[in-house]
Every structure is written in structure tokens, then in C-alpha cells.
Amino acid sequence: MNLEDHFDETIARDQRIEPRDWMPDGYRRTMVRQVAQHAHSEIIGMQPEGDWITRAPSLRRKAILLAKVQDEAGHGLYLYSAAETLGADRDDLTERLIEGRQKYSSIFNYPTLTFADVGVIGWLVDGAAICNQVPLCRSSYGPYARAMIRICKEESFHQRQGYELLMTMMSGTQAQRNMVQDATNRWWWPSLMMFGPPDAQSTNTAQSMAWKIKRHTNDELRQRFVDMSVPQAEKLGVTLPDPDLKWNAERGHHDFGQIDWEHFKEVVSGNGPCNEIRLTRRRQAHEDGQWVRDAAAAYAAKQQREAVA
Ligand code: BYC
């Protein structure tokens, strides 16, 4: 059997493609693209919440937030390792991110104005991430699928901490309840955009579904997220900011309003409210870390010299 047939058969049998296996160039390119974008999203995603670490309202909330942001760093590093198994170079991926040549999730280009944003990010953003990523645990590329299992477990924990934070604020003062409602209003639509463009405009979905990299389309997952968020919003006591949101008994799903895809395109092409801030800070952190990379390289070279001597 030739290599391509073997690859096709592995996919057809729902088995995993591993780093040592032959794979079409397009499959490798798509995997590197998706895994790198995912890794960049985790790393850039540390910033909006990280802004609140020094301003968390209690030691307990600070410890929780610190742990969550550290988890996100871990996810990023884990995913860069998965990209390396495809032959990608981590330094090169970082360069592409800070030069704006590779994407990261649109959701991290919005500001976190109050501490309620930390809760809403946990509830909606991590909620959307879980909805998108649980099916990726069955993705056809082995190292990515396995990385997703651990990442999803931690994301579930993040989602629950966000919801718990919001429940606490909702049982507080009117001012706190207003903060939660305001944060919900600002994050709802961007959360729906996390799932990517509508299926009709998604350039990669058809091929990624055929290769079983993706298991559901963007619109299927977006619908699933809307359906699961509605009862959560009711229980919390907040209103989702969409007058067209209503149960459709015939479809067995909620209908919802028009998403502003022009705005999405603007954000993805670098013109969102915080794109500049996010990339500038990432670039600065990379430059500030130069001495650590130099020291690590010098130490590794010294070890090697001593091993040879
Ligand atoms: N933002 O053909 P499509 C997290 C791009 S981290 C920006 O549908 P695909 C968390 C897309 O890349 C969350 N760009 O693409 C971390 C493509 O452009 P290119 C990140 C987007 O790949 C910290 C073009 O639009 N999660 O959870 O089939 C704290 C056309 O799209 C976006 C992942 O990365 C977007 N929202 O489907 C808290 C999950 N959407 O590359 C939480 C893994 C689309 O052709 N990724 N684009 O130039 C995926 O599941 C898929 O890549 C997507 C997009 C569903 C996102």
C-alpha cells in the first residue's frame, strides 16, 4: 500500500496520525496553522485576565486568578510542543506571532474593564473554548488530541471558577449585579465569534472535517454554545444582549440574532480595540526574555563542551 493510501485508511478507520507517519503537506500545514494559532491564543489570552492579578479583590481571588493564568501559559507551551512534533520551530512561530503574520483568537482583543470581566471570561470564553475543544480530543492528529484532553479538564475548572465568581457577585450589591450584566453585554457577541466565520464563509472547515481534524462545523458548535448558555444565564439572573434570542421548538434549538461579521473581520485583521496593546506587550515580553534565552543557550553549550572534553 502506498503512503497516501495508508494515510487515508488511517483516517477512515478513525485511528490517529502520529508524528512519525507520512502525511500530506496540506494536512501538516493545516495542523501547524491550527495548533500554532491555538498556542498563540493561550499565550495572548493571559493578558486580559492578567491585568487583574494585582487588583483582585481578595487574596483568595488573587490566588485563583494567578493559578488560572499560569494554566494558560502551560497550555500554550504544551501546544507549541505539539506543533514541534510537526516539524515547526518554536522561535519561528513566536516571530510570526509578534510580527502579526500568524493569528490568535479574536476574543483576546477586548479590554477587561471590571473584575466581573474575569468571571465572564471564565463563564463565556472558557465555556466557548470547551465547547470547541472537547470534540478536538478526537482530532486525527495524536499529539494535538492528547493535549486537548488535559487542556479541556483545566478549562472546565476555569469555567466553573468564572461561574462561581459571577454567582457570588450576583448575590452581592446592586452595583455588583450591574457589573456582571455589563460584562455579559460586552462579551456575549465576541464569544459567539470565537467559533469562526459562518460555515458558508469558512475556508478551512470542509477539508479539516474530511481529515477529521475538526469534528463539527463552526455553526454547529456556535449553536451548541448558545443552547447551553441560555439556561446558565437564567440561573445566574442576567440577560443575554440579543432581542432575537428565543427557543425554536421546531428546530429544537435557540434562534439568535445576526452576528456582526464585518466587525469580526476588522478584529482579525488587527483593528480590534486591543490588538495593538496585546502584540506590543507580547513583543516586549519576548525582548525582555532575551537574556534568559542567551543564558540557557550558553549553559547548554558549556554542558556540551564539558561532555565532549
Ligand atoms: N479569531 O476556515 P475557518 C482559549 C480564522 S484559546 C481569529 O473557519 P478553521 C483560552 C481562521 O484561523 C481559544 N481568527 O478556520 C485561552 C482562518 O484563518 P487562516 C483558541 C479566526 O481553522 C486563554 C479564517 O479565520 N481556540 O480557549 O477551520 C483564556 C477562516 O476560518 C477565528 C482554538 O484555537 C477567531 N475566532 O476554524 C481562556 C481552538 N476564527 O488561518 C481561553 C482550535 C477563525 O486560514 N482552533 N479564524 O488565515 C479551531 O478550532 C479552529 O481553528 C477555529 C477556526 C474554529 C478557531
Side-chain angles (χ1 to χ4, degrees), residues 17-29:
I17 305 297
E18 295 297 338
R20 63 179 177 276
D21 295 337
W22 182 89
M23 60 189 89
D25 287 346
Y27 180 90
R28 190 183 297 276
R29 258 197 317 276

Side-chain angles (χ1 to χ4, degrees), residues 112-142:
T112 40
L113 303 182
T114 72
F115 198 69
D117 290 47
V118 170
V120 171
I121 288 178
W123 171 37
L124 295 179
V125 176
D126 288 282
I130 294 164
C131 203
N132 167 258
Q133 288 166 31
V134 165
L136 294 174
C137 297
R138 292 186 296 114
S139 184
S140 58
Y141 187 59

Side-chain angles (χ1 to χ4, degrees), residues 33-34 37-39 41-42 45-46 49 68 72 103-108 121 125-126 129 132-133 136 144 155 158 193-197 201-205 208 214 218 264 268:
R33 179 185 63 80
Q34 179 162 331
Q37 283 178 8
H38 195 165
S41 304
E42 298 282 357
M46 294 162 74
E49 291 171 282
K68 179 180 193 281
E72 281 149 14
K103 297 186 171 82
Y104 59 89
S105 181
S106 51
I107 193 73
F108 301 115
I121 288 178
V125 176
D126 288 282
N132 167 258
Q133 288 166 31
L136 294 174
Y144 187 50
E155 300 284 22
H158 295 170
M193 293 175 193
M194 281 178 77
F195 294 92
Q201 290 164 34
S202 166
T203 43
N204 302 296
T205 296
S208 290
K214 283 169 83 159
N218 300 353
F264 171 76
V268 174

Side-chain angles (χ1 to χ4, degrees), residues 7 10-11 14-21 23 27 31 35 78-79 82 85-86 136-149 211-213:
F7 172 87
T10 307
I11 299 282
D14 255 337
Q15 286 172 344
R16 295 277 156 76
I17 305 297
E18 295 297 338
R20 63 179 177 276
D21 295 337
M23 60 189 89
Y27 180 90
M31 278 318 306
V35 178
Y78 212 37
L79 287 164
T85 68
L86 289 152
L136 294 174
C137 297
R138 292 186 296 114
S139 184
S140 58
Y141 187 59
Y144 187 50
R146 290 190 287 275
M148 279 304 121
I149 295 171
W211 277 329
K212 297 184 181 170
I213 293 170

